[in-house]
Amino acid sequence: MDRILIRGGRPLNGAIQISGSKNAALPLMAAALLTSEPLRLSNLPRLADIASMRQLLAGLGAEVAEVQPAAGEQGQVLEIQASHVASQRAPYDLVRKMRASVLVLGPLLARFGQAEVSLPGGCAIGTRPVDLHLSAMEAMGAEIAIESGYIHASAPKGLTGAEVVFPTISVGATENAMMAAALAQGESRLVNAAREPEISDLAVCLRAMGAEIEGEGSEIITIRGCGSLQGASHPVIADRIEAGTFLMAAAITDGELRLVGAQAAHLERPIAVLRQAGVTVEESDGTLLARRRNGRLRGSDVMTEAFPGFATDLQAQFMALMTTAEGASMITETIFENRFMHVPELIRMGADITIHGASALVRGERRLTGAEVMATDLRASVCLVLAGLAAEGETVINRIYHLDRGYERIEAKLAACGAEIERLTS
Ligand SMILES: CC(=O)N[C@H]1[C@@H](OP(=O)(O)OP(=O)(O)OC[C@H]2O[C@@H](n3ccc(=O)[nH]c3=O)[C@H](O)[C@@H]2O)O[C@H](CO)[C@@H](O)[C@@H]1O
Ligand SMILES: C=C(OP(=O)(O)O)C(=O)O
């Protein structure tokens, strides 16, 4: 199994191109199932999750081809055509590797009147049920049964537009409901919808495919379903979590990074928190520049929240940063019940952190020292990379397949800015 070796203590300096967003790309790829015409997606990151979604779509019978970027296009470009969908079954083997596989449920059900999707099961960061996805489908008229670990959904006469009131905010359930509603008969109103930039990106693409959608980015999304959707061409937004991670990499190493393509509007709360902690973040011409303001960082409290709040996907990285700040920080995780798996590993590197329920108290100004550590999930992995970059000596991170789910060419991007980092293959 591959590992990452980091020799820490070197400031990062340089420019990094931000890749396309994994979390925007996955629902966009699933949206290709809504039409028999080709959907062309550009600026897709080259990540394990994108490969898994590609495999899932191909397994259903869609044709997925990588094509050369046209003028103005960036990243990986895929043309997905789901004209002959032979199967409506998302198998356990793929769903267990990537929970976002459940995003094929809405499109398959809306277009073909049936879908079988393996229940995702638990996950390192929490139980992560899919009840909100299922109740949204039921509100639109689907019958749902759980048998042998699979969701069996059927709507032989098609889905009907409905008011879906989400009791709690769910990004994935909002996306599934938007895609299903786009092909349902009549109008749907999604109330207490997620407002993440990835939701807005999906709405833009669905609109280009002919869907009538309003209100994305607000708490109520209205969708008037139409009989069929057409092909479209859509560039995926930049990955705000990758950008936020590298803002923190600049700060933790006391370096200076220019992030090309990063969208400040998608990072307002994390940038405000970083500024309060003593990081200068400047925006100009589609880039973000980050460096410490006067050498020292101050402990700052953070609570994770749905967008526009502080993203849970940046919580672990912020915790690594706060281990090096002056004073104490209280970091409260409100989205996932078990997203502190990085804490024992940071402690092994010299951090002083105690967990009290959903909060972690970080006592700062620790000198981190390199150690052999274990990655447990995607953001925990990159938090250990940040800690390793700041630590004295060598850090070896095991189980980095988690990292490959969400960070494109991370060693190359960091090495180009002065990090001593290498992948050890065995
Ligand atoms: C591929 C993707 O985009 N992943 C992101 C997405 O995950 P995902 O879409 O899975 O996250 P959700 O927004 O659905 O989850 C938020 C909370 O709602 C709960 N919940 C969710 C659905 C449901 O049916 N029932 C239920 O109880 C979850 O367990 C969690 O506690 O949003 C999360 C929250 O910003 C991010 O951390 C993930 O990186
Ligand atoms: C939790 C994450 O992803 P997923 O929802 O795909 O597990 C993440 O991107 O941090």
Side-chain angles (χ1 to χ4, degrees), residues 251-254 277-280 291-298 324-326 365:
I252 202 169
T253 63
D254 200 4
V279 183
T280 294
R291 61 171 181 279
R292 289 190 195 183
R293 200 158 39 240
N294 53 19
R296 311 293 290 256
L297 295 173
R298 275 193 306 277
T324 65
E326 261 174 45
E365 277 197 300

Side-chain angles (χ1 to χ4, degrees), residues 16-17 19 242 246 408-417:
I16 296 182
Q17 175 71 47
S19 297
E242 188 197 25
F246 290 139
E408 186 177 43
R409 298 187 307 105
I410 187 166
E411 311 98 276
K413 288 186 181 189
L414 292 173
C417 296

Side-chain angles (χ1 to χ4, degrees), residues 13-223:
N13 282 293
I16 296 182
Q17 175 71 47
I18 299 304
S19 297
S21 158
K22 159 180 93 74
N23 288 352
L26 295 171
L28 288 167
M29 291 174 77
L33 293 169
L34 290 166
T35 174
S36 60
E37 295 184 14
L39 178 65
R40 180 183 178 104
L41 297 173
S42 59
N43 202 29
L44 290 164
R46 288 184 195 277
L47 295 171
D49 274 16
I50 301 300
S52 298
M53 185 56 98
R54 189 174 167 169
Q55 203 184 337
L56 173 56
L57 296 176
L60 298 172
E63 283 172 37
V64 189
E66 180 167 358
V67 295
Q68 285 303 314
E73 284 181 335
Q74 282 187 307
Q76 180 179 201
V77 184
L78 291 180
E79 264 187 18
I80 309 170
Q81 184 158 14
S83 44
H84 304 289
V85 172
S87 155
Q88 285 89 40
R89 184 178 166 93
Y92 177 64
D93 264 4
L94 281 173
V95 181
R96 98 185 138 77
K97 267 207 264 173
M98 184 190 60
R99 301 181 56 83
S101 306
V102 79
L103 293 171
V104 301
L105 177 67
L108 287 175
L109 189 55
R111 181 153 161 233
F112 303 102
Q114 58 177 4
E116 273 179 45
V117 177
S118 169
L119 272 173
C123 167
I125 62 178
T127 48
R128 303 186 73 180
V130 290
D131 55 315
L132 302 177
H133 300 241
L134 303 187
S135 49
M137 299 303 131
E138 280 175 333
M140 290 187 225
E143 287 191 10
I144 307 274
I146 308 290
E147 274 165 33
S148 311
Y150 277 75
I151 304 159
H152 294 257
S154 68
K157 294 189 188 132
L159 295 173
T160 314
E163 173 153 301
V164 178
V165 182
F166 293 108
T168 54
I169 297 174
S170 162
V171 175
T174 302
E175 291 164 343
N176 241 332
M178 285 166 75
M179 292 188 279
L183 279 187
Q185 281 167 29
E187 184 172 295
S188 295
R189 260 164 58 89
L190 310 182
V191 180
N192 201 24
R195 296 156 62 186
E196 271 65 5
E198 294 76 22
I199 300 284
S200 300
D201 202 29
L202 177 61
V204 169
C205 180
L206 290 174
R207 213 175 278 129
M209 294 167 75
E212 284 186 50
I213 302 187
E214 284 162 26
E216 75 274 11
S218 79
E219 285 159 26
I220 300 182
I221 303 177
T222 308
I223 301 143

